[in-house]
Amino acid sequence: MMELRVLRYFLAVVQEKNITKAAEKLLISQPALSKQLSDLENELGAKLFIRGHRQITLTSEGEYLSSKASEIIDLADKTTANILTDQVIGGDLTIGAGESVSMKRIIDVMGNINQDYPDVKVHLVSGDANEMESKLNNGTLDFAVFMGERDLSDFNYLQIPEIDQWGVVMRQDSLLALNQVVTPKDLLGLPLLISSQAMTSNRFDNWWGNLGPQMNITGTFTLAFNAELLVESSHSYMMTFKHLLNENNNEELVFRPLEPELTEPITVVWKKNTVLSKVDQLFIKRLQASLQLD
């Protein structure tokens, strides 16, 4: 059975890309570390590294173990921290979400908890809904924030009053920027950038209807900030949420909402049938209180 200690050794080698450097960082001998790694490979029945002259390279099996080992170590460390601080409000509060206007409320709650209880460490993890659901299920997240309709039968959840409104970010000097709203016909022939999650879920199929096959989708993105740079440099048009436009680009880019209007509900979710730490319970209590103040 793999030990946490050995997984930490493995991740140190992955980070340093060199067994000797990793051994120095871990304060153990290079032969001892090499033996631990060799034993791990024998235990798994797979080669994890290709050992080069100056640095090691991960095999596909090594890449897989690296991602899973990180999750295992994070979960172990988080569990230990929460147990050690069970008598006081402390430990880790980890929330995963995509980019959304709703994060202002959630970050305010997290910030207030951190201010009142300095022993609490807050962590924000970015990613799409599928990735966040996976991390929530394997225990590396306490909470996830979902944008859009999603099956919530396996979760407890709180609906946030804010909504995300879809629209198009474009250059100020584009002809389409003269419009106050954007219709499907307006987008015909234009180079479109769409979020990977929206692309995978066919989010705009109903909105643009039979014009869908004529849409010129030239790329996808996961982070709006990076996509904005492409909009600015390539005259592309990015379909994204309102309020995500980087303030530094306000003079170069503009947002126009879709017509007919297209919005997404926002939901904070956590696992059912799980024992919540005190800090998790506090987060839920304060988030509920913020909703009651509206």
Side-chain angles (χ1 to χ4, degrees):
M1 177 180 292
M2 287 183 292
E3 299 179 16
L4 289 177
R5 173 178 54 83
V6 177
L7 289 180
R8 293 183 194 276
Y9 289 171
F10 169 75
L11 290 176
V13 175
V14 171
Q15 182 178 12
E16 297 296 329
K17 295 183 171 60
N18 182 284
I19 294 177
T20 301
K21 290 181 179 179
E24 292 173 354
K25 179 179 178 181
L26 294 167
L27 302 179
I28 63 175
S29 69
Q30 188 271 334
L33 179 57
S34 293
K35 184 178 187 307
Q36 293 282 357
L37 296 176
S38 179
D39 290 345
L40 179 61
E41 288 180 319
N42 290 335
E43 179 183 351
L44 296 175
K47 190 175 181 63
L48 302 174
F49 303 104
I50 299 173
R51 293 163 172 80
H53 178 62
R54 293 187 176 273
Q55 68 177 36
I56 60 94
T57 304
L58 290 177
T59 63
S60 58
E61 291 83 1
E63 292 281 2
Y64 177 77
L65 180 60
S66 177
S67 65
K68 294 302 178 183
S70 296
E71 292 181 355
I72 292 168
I73 295 298
D74 286 346
L75 179 58
D77 289 345
K78 181 175 175 1
T79 302
T80 300
N82 287 339
I83 290 174
L84 291 175
T85 57
D86 186 57
Q87 302 306 312
V88 296
I89 299 295
D92 294 302
L93 175 61
T94 308
I95 297 178
E99 295 173 298
S100 168
V101 65
S102 69
M103 293 308 295
K104 174 66 169 62
R105 176 189 297 271
I106 292 163
I107 289 172
D108 283 346
V109 172
M110 296 176 74
N112 289 335
I113 290 174
N114 187 241
Q115 187 173 17
D116 293 341
Y117 301 95
D119 288 333
V120 173
K121 295 180 176 62
V122 296
H123 309 278
L124 290 170
V125 180
S126 298
D128 63 27
N130 291 333
E131 184 180 359
M132 294 304 98
E133 183 170 344
S134 174
K135 290 181 179 294
L136 192 62
N137 284 326
N138 67 31
T140 55
L141 289 181
D142 298 310
F143 301 92
V145 184
F146 292 158
M147 295 82 177
E149 299 291 345
R150 200 171 181 89
D151 181 11
L152 301 176
S153 58
D154 292 334
F155 303 101
N156 294 315
Y157 60 90
L158 282 173
Q159 193 80 50
I160 301 298
E162 291 85 1
I163 60 171
D164 281 317
Q165 181 180 21
W166 284 103
V168 180
V169 169
M170 66 198 79
R171 287 173 57 109
Q172 285 268 19
D173 57 5
S174 67
L175 290 177
L176 190 55
L178 299 175
N179 295 7
Q180 293 304 305
V181 295
V182 175
T183 69
K185 285 185 179 180
D186 293 330
L187 297 177
L188 290 176
L190 299 180
L192 299 180
L193 300 173
I194 297 180
S195 76
S196 300
Q197 184 175 329
M199 186 75 170
T200 302
S201 63
N202 301 311
R203 183 64 185 93
F204 301 111
D205 281 7
N206 290 333
W207 182 76
W208 49 43
N210 59 9
L211 295 179
Q214 301 178 55
M215 294 297 167
N216 180 27
I217 300 173
T218 58
T220 62
F221 63 90
T222 55
L223 294 176
F225 175 77
N226 291 336
E228 286 175 16
L229 301 177
L230 189 56
V231 170
E232 189 174 349
S233 65
S234 69
H235 294 263
S236 297
Y237 296 76
M238 176 176 66
M239 301 186 72
T240 187
F241 292 147
K242 189 176 182 180
H243 302 299
L244 294 187
L245 182 59
N246 181 11
E247 291 183 359
N248 293 331
N249 279 339
N250 276 348
E251 295 183 359
E252 301 291 336
L253 306 177
V254 294
F255 175 91
R256 295 291 182 260
L258 300 184
E259 177 64 39
E261 185 180 71
L262 190 62
T263 61
E264 304 284 6
I266 301 167
T267 313
V268 178
V269 304
W270 62 98
K271 288 177 66 175
K272 284 183 176 179
N273 305 317
T274 188
V275 179
L276 297 175
S277 69
K278 288 187 177 182
V279 67
D280 290 347
Q281 296 175 46
L282 179 63
F283 173 76
I284 294 171
K285 182 179 179 180
R286 292 205 173 183
L287 182 59
Q288 289 173 324
S290 80
L291 301 179
Q292 293 168 1
L293 291 174
D294 289 345

